[in-house]
Amino acid sequence: IAVLVGLVCGIPTEEVISTVKSGFGNILASIGIVILAGTIIGTILEKTGAALTMANTILKIVGKEKSVLTMGITGYITGIPVFCDSGFVILSPISRALASQSNVSLAVMATALSGGLYATHCLVPPTPGPIAMAGTLEADLGLTILVGLIISIPAVASALIYANKVSSKIDIPANPEYTVEELVEKYGKLPGALHSFSPILLPIILIALKSVSDFPSAPFGDGAVKMFFSFIGNPVIALILGVFLAMTLIPQEEKQNSLKWITEGVTNSAGILAITGAGGSFGAILQKLPIADALSASLLGLGVGVFLPFIIAALLKTAMGASTVAMITTSAMIAPMMPALGFTSPLAKVLVIMAIGAGSMTVSHANDSYFWVVSQFSDMDTQDAYKCQTGMTAVMGVTTIIVVFILSLIFVH
């Protein structure tokens, strides 16, 4: 499709080929190792029964009947420091184990987790998109984080309602490799709660520390401490450390299987990597087309307030697939128009960021790597993924822009 669209839109043949290759490579350069390491961690967590311990621990705290809410909250918190793709890969073993424990379709759990991650990914710095927008629009970073955290709540709530009402009609068995009883029998005893969570918590904490060290106020200074956190908090390094920590979960008598399990993790990730790369190729071809220029001129005359940045971001997101690219492109287009639109106060700037974030959620479909990560890690076929992921992201985006619009009526005059 990427090649076909490039040729039909008149991009020279050589450029089509080079763009498809670079698009494939660039997306894998950014999240390839993360997916690989995340899949290995997931495989080990499942095989050692650690995913089960995690599911049991969360259910004890929240209660069995609220397992979908648990997944949404987990995603909401994890999505602040961690890219939604990486977060979904890291947390999918928990979503599988929780679905099995609470007899809920995996489609419901996956939708709840995906929505939780996506809300804070698109609205709350230090994720790259919101941070880049705050820089471009010269908005206060602290205020952006605070407002983003508040506006993410109705977004996640709408995703949870969607998961319970729509995704629940799609029955996907959780298919963890063994039942609880078989696992307990197989391992004699399951690993402890803290040890089980550690391969997931360690990367999240390290990535969060890197985000903090990158704040403009430089809380860790500019020297060796900042460099150290920037290095170990890079998602690639953080997840590789997570893999080593996951290997400590393998019981002594199973040690000879550890290479086999790691190989299985690598094999599991192959299809996901291929599809993600292809999505990157498609996105790269679409970015070559003058979509952004064509949109801004025709939309400026509409006088639609915060809906203008929302519409531009939504059209770019739907056309190009990458939320971060939609955020960065839209904020660059809107920046010179801010005074003309009357968005000059500190809060008005933040609300424009939220409007662009809402647009960049709407919608995740086949040209978005996240769409494929969610569907492949949750055993969804493409049709189910459109119902769960695409439908849910549409509802989230529309809910968010309505909240932003109401706030703009109250606070921006």
Side-chain angles (χ1 to χ4, degrees):
I1 297 246
V3 172
L4 197 64
V5 169
L7 295 174
V8 168
C9 293
I11 300 173
T13 49
E14 284 300 313
E15 199 180 334
V16 168
I17 294 164
S18 64
T19 306
V20 164
K21 288 198 298 193
S22 64
F24 193 95
N26 291 343
I27 194 87
L28 291 187
S30 63
I31 62 170
I33 297 175
V34 168
I35 288 178
L36 191 62
T39 322
I40 293 170
I41 292 172
T43 306
I44 294 175
L45 291 181
E46 202 168 325
K47 298 272 191 198
T48 55
L52 196 77
T53 302
M54 288 151 79
N56 287 338
T57 310
I58 295 173
L59 282 181
K60 268 189 204 128
I61 298 166
V62 183
K64 215 167 217 182
E65 64 290 347
K66 296 204 189 77
S67 57
V68 180
L69 174 67
T70 305
M71 224 55 258
I73 295 170
T74 308
Y76 170 88
I77 295 165
T78 309
I80 298 167
V82 179
F83 234 72
C84 58
D85 304 61
S86 318
F88 199 90
V89 174
I90 295 171
L91 295 171
S92 66
I94 303 186
S95 123
R96 218 174 257 281
L98 267 181
S100 162
Q101 287 288 75
S102 45
N103 294 326
V104 176
S105 165
L106 185 58
V108 178
M109 284 297 178
T111 306
L113 173 59
S114 167
L117 286 162
Y118 206 43
T120 44
H121 172 83
C122 293
L123 298 171
V124 185
T127 319
I131 263 204
M133 292 195 287
T136 307
L137 300 175
E138 296 172 357
D140 179 278
L141 197 60
L143 189 62
T144 309
I145 292 171
L146 182 67
V147 175
L149 286 169
I150 295 165
I151 289 180
S152 299
I153 294 170
V156 177
S158 68
L160 292 175
I161 293 166
Y162 190 91
N164 282 318
K165 293 275 181 280
V166 181
S167 301
S168 56
K169 295 192 172 75
I170 297 163
D171 185 37
I172 300 175
N175 280 343
E177 198 138 307
Y178 305 99
T179 65
V180 185
E181 292 72 26
E182 284 170 355
L183 274 175
V184 174
E185 216 171 282
K186 187 164 182 275
Y187 299 115
K189 67 181 199 319
L190 291 169
L194 188 63
H195 195 185
S196 299
F197 275 103
S198 61
I200 288 176
L201 287 178
L202 178 75
I204 292 172
I205 291 165
L206 293 179
I207 294 168
L209 284 170
K210 172 182 165 30
S211 301
V212 172
S213 78
D214 288 343
F215 271 20
S217 57
F220 298 139
D222 285 324
V225 178
K226 179 181 188 303
M227 275 178 62
F228 174 72
F229 283 124
S230 283
F231 176 71
I232 61 163
N234 183 296
V236 170
I237 301 298
L239 273 140
I240 289 173
L241 292 172
V243 169
F244 283 109
L245 198 50
M247 287 166 72
T248 65
L249 286 163
I250 301 172
Q252 205 53 50
E253 58 276 15
E254 292 280 354
K255 280 280 189 259
Q256 74 277 11
N257 283 331
S258 49
L259 189 62
K260 197 171 87 190
W261 290 355
I262 291 167
T263 310
E264 191 172 319
V266 174
T267 313
N268 291 346
S269 67
I272 299 161
L273 290 169
I275 288 177
T276 305
S281 296
F282 190 30
I285 287 282
L286 291 170
Q287 282 165 38
K288 286 271 182 212
L289 308 176
I291 299 170
D293 307 337
L295 293 179
S296 57
S298 53
L299 287 171
L300 241 185
L302 295 178
V304 284
V306 285
F307 285 104
L308 176 67
F310 169 78
I311 293 166
I312 296 175
L315 288 167
L316 289 176
K317 161 70 182 172
T318 307
M320 293 180 180
S323 294
T324 306
V325 173
M327 288 186 235
I328 293 168
T329 311
T330 310
S331 57
M333 284 160 58
I334 290 286
M337 311 175 195
M338 293 286 274
L341 293 165
F343 299 129
T344 47
S345 71
L347 187 60
K349 288 176 180 175
V350 171
L351 288 176
V352 170
I353 291 174
M354 296 302 128
I356 299 172
S360 69
M361 291 175 180
T362 323
V363 292
S364 169
H365 65 102
N367 60 1
D368 178 9
S369 62
Y370 189 45
F371 174 87
W372 294 111
V373 168
V374 171
S375 68
Q376 297 299 302
F377 276 91
S378 313
D379 305 342
M380 289 180 194
D381 61 30
T382 310
Q383 198 179 351
D384 290 342
Y386 272 115
K387 282 182 198 154
C388 296
Q389 176 73 359
T390 308
M392 181 264 298
T393 52
V395 168
M396 283 178 76
V398 172
T399 304
T400 307
I401 190 58
I402 291 168
V403 173
V404 172
F405 176 63
I406 293 165
L407 290 175
S408 77
L409 291 179
I410 301 167
F411 294 112
V412 180
H413 302 293

